[in-house]
Amino acid sequence: MGSADIIPGVSGGTMAFILGIYARLIRAIRSFDMIFLRALARGDVRQAASHVDSGFLILLLTGIIAALLVFTRVIPVPYLLKAYPEPVYSLFFGLILASVVYLLVRVERWRVRDSVFLIAGTIIGWLVFTLIPVETPDAPWFLFLAGAVSICAMILPGISGSFVLLILNKYSTVFNAIGYFQLAVLIPFILGAVTGLLLFSRLLSLLLNRCYRATMQFITGLLVASLWVIWPFQDRTYEMVGGSSKIIASTPALPYEIDGMFLLSVLLFAAGCAVVFVMHAMVKDKTTGEE
């Protein structure tokens, strides 16, 4: 999930969905409630930790932080995306496309309203992905807002938190702050992210409990829309903003030539598809959290 959140157009929530931990993740996040706070107030740390599935969250958070540090300092993924975008995006395109196919195929007795929510999710997702980055302030209040909005995108499959940061013109600001521990940026951003995460997880949990089928079709539509921006072969336009190069426009295109880079992209695309289908063959129904 941490690796995915670095890549504009790919959602950490999408990776959680593909890996079969999405439902458990939402349940764990929304468990930070009054029961948890009362247990802490009584000094009952064991009950508090058990209530929020702390073992799962600690392992997950450790992996996310490790990936963010490794892929911003040791292996600079933002640079690799600019230098070799086709192979990197091909892997994620295969992962997401295979997940969409799996989700659509397993729907029993397709209904008209399923199509309505699927199309609605696709249209809304496409509108988000075609937004153009805008100039925004670097004030702490806006960093708080950027954290709240982007974290909602990060846990919602299909909408990329990194892409939202690009739209808000805070991608380089935030990831440079992560790489170099710039607390003046990180503190308001993290506070906003925590606030957005706690509020949005409750909304998602409510929708999944009360409108499961419609919510799943809407999420699938978001995944379909994300394929527009994750398609490996794009005509991308970059612009220097704040001393760094940022993508400001991206339009899907056909491969220019069949060369080594194209063949590598095809191989990684196939590997992404294979990972999803093998995973679901091994662990039945884990993608939606069902047993």
Side-chain angles (χ1 to χ4, degrees):
M1 286 180 63
S3 304
D5 280 327
I6 296 174
I7 300 176
V10 183
S11 165
T14 301
M15 292 301 104
F17 208 74
I18 292 172
L19 294 170
I21 61 172
Y22 189 72
R24 185 178 181 183
L25 173 62
I26 298 301
R27 286 196 300 268
I29 294 172
R30 75 173 303 275
S31 296
F32 286 89
D33 52 16
M34 292 305 300
I35 297 175
F36 170 75
L37 292 177
R38 284 196 291 267
L40 282 184
R42 294 195 307 269
D44 193 344
V45 177
R46 178 173 295 182
Q47 182 185 352
S50 175
H51 181 66
V52 298
D53 201 357
S54 60
F56 167 74
L57 288 178
I58 289 172
L59 288 173
L60 185 66
L61 186 61
T62 301
I64 290 174
I65 292 174
L68 288 173
L69 292 177
V70 169
F71 291 112
T72 54
R73 297 293 298 273
V74 181
I75 304 173
V77 167
Y79 164 76
L80 293 177
L81 279 173
K82 286 185 288 186
Y84 311 103
E86 290 84 4
V88 176
Y89 276 107
S90 289
L91 175 63
F92 286 95
F93 190 87
L95 287 169
I96 295 173
L97 179 61
S99 297
V100 168
V101 171
Y102 176 82
L103 289 170
L104 292 177
V105 168
R106 70 191 297 273
V107 174
E108 297 180 358
R109 297 189 301 275
W110 193 269
R111 304 166 186 168
V112 173
R113 68 177 182 177
D114 292 327
S115 300
V116 171
F117 284 103
L118 177 67
I119 293 171
T122 302
I123 292 174
I124 291 174
W126 183 83
L127 290 174
V128 170
F129 284 126
T130 53
L131 290 175
I132 298 175
V134 295
E135 289 299 325
T136 56
D138 289 327
W141 70 267
F142 192 83
L143 291 170
F144 179 93
L145 179 62
V149 174
S150 62
I151 199 67
C152 292
M154 286 179 183
I155 64 171
L156 184 62
I159 303 294
S160 163
S162 292
F163 198 83
V164 170
L165 287 178
L166 279 174
I167 294 170
L168 297 177
N169 207 6
K170 289 292 171 280
Y171 179 77
S172 294
T173 301
V174 170
F175 282 103
N176 283 336
I178 292 173
Y180 296 96
F181 300 102
Q182 297 170 355
L183 296 181
V185 173
L186 290 178
I187 289 176
F189 181 81
I190 291 173
L191 289 175
V194 170
T195 302
L197 189 64
L198 293 176
L199 294 176
F200 192 62
S201 65
R202 280 161 172 73
L203 175 60
L204 271 179
S205 181
L206 179 67
L207 290 174
L208 286 170
N209 286 333
R210 297 190 178 183
C211 314
Y212 179 81
R213 185 164 178 141
T215 303
M216 290 298 297
Q217 295 307 325
F218 185 84
I219 288 175
T220 304
L222 294 177
L223 292 178
V224 172
S226 72
L227 296 174
W228 172 269
V229 72
I230 301 171
W231 172 252
F233 306 99
Q234 302 262 352
D235 289 329
R236 298 179 176 90
T237 303
Y238 295 90
E239 184 178 288
M240 292 301 295
V241 179
S244 61
S245 178
K246 295 181 181 180
I247 186 171
I248 60 171
S250 182
T251 305
L254 293 175
Y256 293 111
E257 58 181 343
I258 299 178
D259 54 8
M261 192 66 67
F262 173 81
L263 295 176
L264 176 60
S265 299
V266 171
L267 180 62
L268 288 174
F269 164 77
C273 291
V275 166
V276 172
F277 289 122
V278 169
M279 193 182 315
H280 287 297
M282 294 174 61
V283 188
K284 184 179 181 181
D285 287 333
K286 285 294 184 179
T287 299
T288 59
E290 299 173 1
E291 297 296 332

